[in-house]
């Protein structure tokens, strides 16, 4: 019996990949070149969705274009559009309410987190997967730079039991210091669900080190040393850990 044909053809996957990369790139550029942060966020999110379909469409048996997740993403984009129109009319109260509703929808859809989960599930471990995961984290950083993130929401992701939400939060916190959560970060530095997650936690720890008080610095240094003692770090994590310790304990002289 022949295997079922994937829903997304090879030609369509190439098109979706190109559109996904283009949408994410335009969103990232818009973060720095326009004041339309909500529009930039929508581009980043939808670019990620298209990229997942483009990369993994040959492994998808069904695509629920009418399903709840895509409906929520579409509704979020529409609310962002309506918020911009409200601002132009001078109704900033309605605009802010619509943005809050859109952010809640994006959180529910979990576009970036879902992309991370799919990549880890569908791609074999190795440099190629790591490169894709790093690109996903970069999109999380871009989303944070758009200025549409609620700190408490992102902190809740970091405390989540789902690795994909935690990694999304780590990327966002790396780009926006106001989102940081030292207490939630500390256990991920010492022991995370994956090497990739621990690396991103170490990257965030280095960025936060300069703003920590003496007791927090001591606890973070202890967590890094405990992590080094538990696992034989590869080059990337070893360098990241050493960078954190250098920030916490600069050499005397």
């Amino acid at each position: 019996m022949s295997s079922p044909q994937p829903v997304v053809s090879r030609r369509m996957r190439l098109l979706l990949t190109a559109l996904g990369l283009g949408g994410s790139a335009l969103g990232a550029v818009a973060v720095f070149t326009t004041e339309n942060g909500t529009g930039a966020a929508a581009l980043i999110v939808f670019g990620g969705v298209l990229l997942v379909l483009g990369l993994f469409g040959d492994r998808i048996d069904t695509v629920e274009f009418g399903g709840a997740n895509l409906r929520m993403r579409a509704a979020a984009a529409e609310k962002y559009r309506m918020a911009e129109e409200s601002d132009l009319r001078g109704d900033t109260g309605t605009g802010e309410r619509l943005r809050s509703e859109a952010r809640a929808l994006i959180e529910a859809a979990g576009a970036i987190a879902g992309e991370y989960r799919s990549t880890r599930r569908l791609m074999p471990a190795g440099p190629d997967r790591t490169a894709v995961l790093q690109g996903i984290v970069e999109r999380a950083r871009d989303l944070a730079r758009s200025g549409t993130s609620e700190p408490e929401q992102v902190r809740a992701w970091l405390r989540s039991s789902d690795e994909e939400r935690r990694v999304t939060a780590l990327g966002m916190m790396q780009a926006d210091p106001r989102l940081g959560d030292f207490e939630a970060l500390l256990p991920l530095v010492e022991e995370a669900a994956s090497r990739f997650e621990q690396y991103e936690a170490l990257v965030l720890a280095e960025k936060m080190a300069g703003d920590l008080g003496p007791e927090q610095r001591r606890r973070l240094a202890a967590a890094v040393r405990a992590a080094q003692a538990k696992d034989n770090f590869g080059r990337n994590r070893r360098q990241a850990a050493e960078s954190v310790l250098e920030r916490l304990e600069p050499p005397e002289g």
Side-chain angles (χ1 to χ4, degrees):
M1 180 182 295
S2 61
S3 59
Q5 293 296 314
V7 169
V8 186
S9 68
R10 184 174 184 276
R11 181 176 297 178
M12 180 59 71
R13 286 194 297 111
L14 291 174
L15 176 60
L16 289 172
T17 299
L19 290 173
L21 289 171
S24 296
L26 285 173
V29 171
V31 167
F32 299 103
T33 59
T34 76
E35 296 181 358
N36 185 0
T38 54
L43 277 173
I44 292 167
V45 170
F46 279 95
V49 173
L50 293 177
L51 191 58
V52 168
L53 290 174
L55 289 172
F56 306 120
D58 59 335
R59 307 187 193 186
I60 297 173
D61 295 327
T62 60
V63 180
E64 297 183 6
F65 284 105
N69 276 353
L70 290 181
R71 284 202 303 272
M72 282 189 286
R73 293 183 187 114
E78 177 64 13
K79 285 182 181 292
Y80 277 130
R81 185 189 64 78
M82 293 168 61
E84 295 295 337
E85 291 179 353
S86 296
D87 287 347
L88 290 174
R89 294 195 304 268
D91 188 359
T92 56
T94 299
E96 184 55 37
R97 176 180 60 79
L98 288 167
R99 287 189 184 89
S100 296
E101 293 173 359
R103 286 193 288 268
L105 286 169
I106 288 177
E107 191 277 334
I112 293 175
E115 187 178 352
Y116 178 89
R117 179 176 61 250
S118 297
T119 300
R120 286 193 64 86
R121 180 170 60 86
L122 296 173
M123 288 188 72
D128 289 342
R129 187 176 76 174
T130 298
V132 173
L133 293 177
Q134 287 173 339
I136 293 169
V137 172
E138 184 57 36
R139 283 194 289 280
R141 296 185 190 115
D142 289 338
L143 183 60
R145 293 184 188 111
S146 71
T148 61
S149 306
E150 294 291 345
E152 290 307 315
Q153 185 180 68
V154 179
R155 290 167 191 155
W157 293 350
L158 192 61
R159 296 172 182 271
S160 168
S161 60
D162 298 327
E163 180 184 352
E164 57 267 23
R165 287 178 181 265
R166 295 195 303 270
V167 171
T168 301
L170 288 170
M172 296 179 74
M173 290 176 177
Q174 290 166 11
D176 188 347
R178 70 189 178 91
L179 304 176
D181 185 337
F182 175 78
E183 294 299 332
L185 170 66
L186 201 61
L188 299 180
V189 168
E190 183 170 346
E191 187 171 6
S194 68
R195 295 175 180 178
F196 185 86
E197 181 182 19
Q198 188 174 44
Y199 170 78
E200 295 300 334
L202 288 165
V203 171
L204 176 58
E206 181 186 3
K207 291 180 178 295
M208 292 179 63
D211 297 323
L212 300 178
E215 178 61 17
Q216 289 177 320
R217 295 168 72 89
R218 184 196 65 76
R219 292 172 62 200
L220 179 55
V224 173
R225 290 201 182 89
Q228 290 173 319
K230 288 180 182 179
D231 193 6
N232 183 21
F233 278 7
R235 178 173 59 87
N236 289 340
R237 284 187 298 158
R238 182 175 65 253
Q239 290 178 347
E242 290 171 354
S243 295
V244 175
L245 292 175
E246 287 175 3
R247 290 290 308 277
L248 296 172
E249 304 168 342
E252 297 180 359

